[in-house]
Amino acid sequence: MIPLSALIFDVDGTLAETERDAHRVAFNETFAEYQLDWYWSESLYGDLLNVTGGKERLKFYVEHYLSHLPPPSDSFITALHRKKTERYQHLITHAHLPLRPGVRRLIEEAHQKNLSLAIATTTSLHNVITLLERSCHPIPVHWFKVIAAGDMVRDKKPAPDIYDHALKELGLPAKECLAFEDSQNGLRSAMGAHLRTIITVNDYTQDEDFTGALVVLNHLGEPDQPFTVLSGQVGQAHYVDVSLLHSLHTQ
Ligand code: XBP
Ligand code: MG
């Protein structure tokens, strides 16, 4: 029997709802600081989320929504994104974004049961570490054996590179791991690395196509806050714990 050895988590939208009230706000604050009359509404941001990576998203926005402007230079995009990252750091340091339901409980149980924990995300390492320190506290960052983030790989999600990188660093084959994602781009990335994947949707991703996921839930659930199953088989379970992960792993 193939053991379940590690859990690999996406960050934005999976560990915490960071997109609408943190990343999006940080982009808008940056535009205002640069005196650009750009504004990303909640709805526009939902469309822009199809492009993963902040720098890539900025570039796409200028090229596709402001096509009357000359294409932005890489140095301008880099400068804007650096400022956005500063703003984001400030926001998540002071606003304390909660973890999504069940995330803390599952991480603690997995650690206690000697499963390795890892991160595979599009955002930067610094952003992940700040979020883990602020929102996961008192879970220490070092519980995550591997943090695969941002520009550590050439191609961002939906390419499989970041999951391939996480697996390489873990020293494990995909079949011994499970991935946790919230978006179709994330699922495509994980599946491209041959990982079986559990999806917890959010407002931005609930209508996406998650064909190929092991199970699609509204969140991981808590004993007193059951999840809703959107697709897949979970037996009698009403929240995700390590025992359910073992049974999903052997499906
Ligand atoms: C989500 C993303 C990120 C963030 C912005 O990544 O697409 O681009 O929106 O982060 P994931 P940066 O769900 O894989 O964590 O601006 O730092 O790139
Ligand atoms: Mg995500």
Side-chain angles (χ1 to χ4, degrees):
M1 201 181 74
I2 297 159
L4 174 62
S5 304
L7 309 182
I8 311 177
F9 290 88
D10 168 51
V11 173
D12 295 303
T14 299
L15 293 186
E17 301 281 16
T18 50
E19 292 291 6
R20 190 191 59 201
D21 297 333
H23 283 295
R24 184 185 70 92
V25 172
F27 280 113
N28 284 330
E29 287 181 356
T30 303
F31 302 153
E33 189 171 331
Y34 271 73
Q35 299 184 324
L36 296 164
D37 64 347
W38 308 352
Y39 179 75
W40 289 359
S41 66
E42 289 181 23
S43 136
L44 170 59
Y45 194 66
D47 295 338
L48 293 172
L49 275 175
N50 289 321
V51 181
T52 60
K55 289 190 288 288
E56 293 78 0
R57 191 169 300 143
L58 282 165
K59 207 157 181 253
F60 179 90
Y61 174 70
V62 182
E63 286 173 359
H64 291 83
Y65 289 75
L66 307 171
S67 50
H68 54 286
L69 297 181
S73 66
D74 285 350
S75 60
F76 180 59
I77 295 290
T78 303
L80 271 185
H81 189 253
R82 193 174 298 127
K83 179 55 72 182
K84 175 262 167 177
T85 300
E86 275 173 32
R87 293 273 183 181
Y88 177 78
Q89 297 275 332
H90 187 267
L91 277 166
I92 59 171
T93 301
H94 294 93
H96 184 75
L97 284 180
L99 296 175
R100 294 191 65 192
V103 170
R104 175 185 303 281
R105 176 187 49 72
L106 183 62
I107 288 172
E108 285 175 342
E109 189 195 358
H111 175 74
Q112 197 199 349
K113 295 186 173 159
N114 293 319
L115 294 181
S116 291
L117 297 166
I119 296 282
T121 178
T122 299
T123 199
S124 65
L125 181 62
H126 199 31
N127 284 351
V128 181
I129 290 176
T130 306
L131 186 80
L132 293 177
E133 284 173 350
R134 292 293 299 152
S135 298
C136 286
H137 182 81
I139 292 172
V141 174
H142 69 76
W143 278 16
F144 292 89
K145 193 170 165 195
V146 168
I147 301 182
D151 296 327
M152 285 179 193
V153 291
R154 199 193 62 183
D155 293 328
K156 293 187 173 160
K157 298 174 188 177
D161 303 30
I162 200 72
Y163 278 103
D164 284 335
H165 181 69
L167 288 168
K168 193 165 159 236
E169 294 291 308
L170 281 166
L172 290 170
K175 58 183 183 232
E176 288 189 32
C177 306
L178 291 174
F180 293 79
E181 273 288 352
D182 69 305
S183 69
Q184 188 191 37
N185 277 328
L187 174 65
R188 285 172 61 196
S189 174
M191 285 176 63
H194 309 290
L195 281 156
R196 277 162 311 156
T197 306
I198 290 149
I199 299 289
T200 51
V201 299
N202 54 49
D203 287 351
Y204 275 133
T205 64
Q206 61 191 350
D207 296 325
E208 294 182 351
D209 179 2
F210 292 112
T211 304
L214 266 182
V215 65
V216 182
L217 308 167
N218 63 334
H219 53 63
L220 294 176
E222 293 284 16
D224 61 353
Q225 187 184 359
F227 54 48
T228 300
V229 181
L230 305 171
S231 77
Q233 301 295 326
V234 298
Q236 298 300 309
H238 58 279
Y239 60 92
V240 175
D241 60 4
V242 171
S243 153
L244 175 59
L245 295 182
H246 278 294
S247 72
L248 290 171
H249 179 65
T250 49
Q251 263 179 23

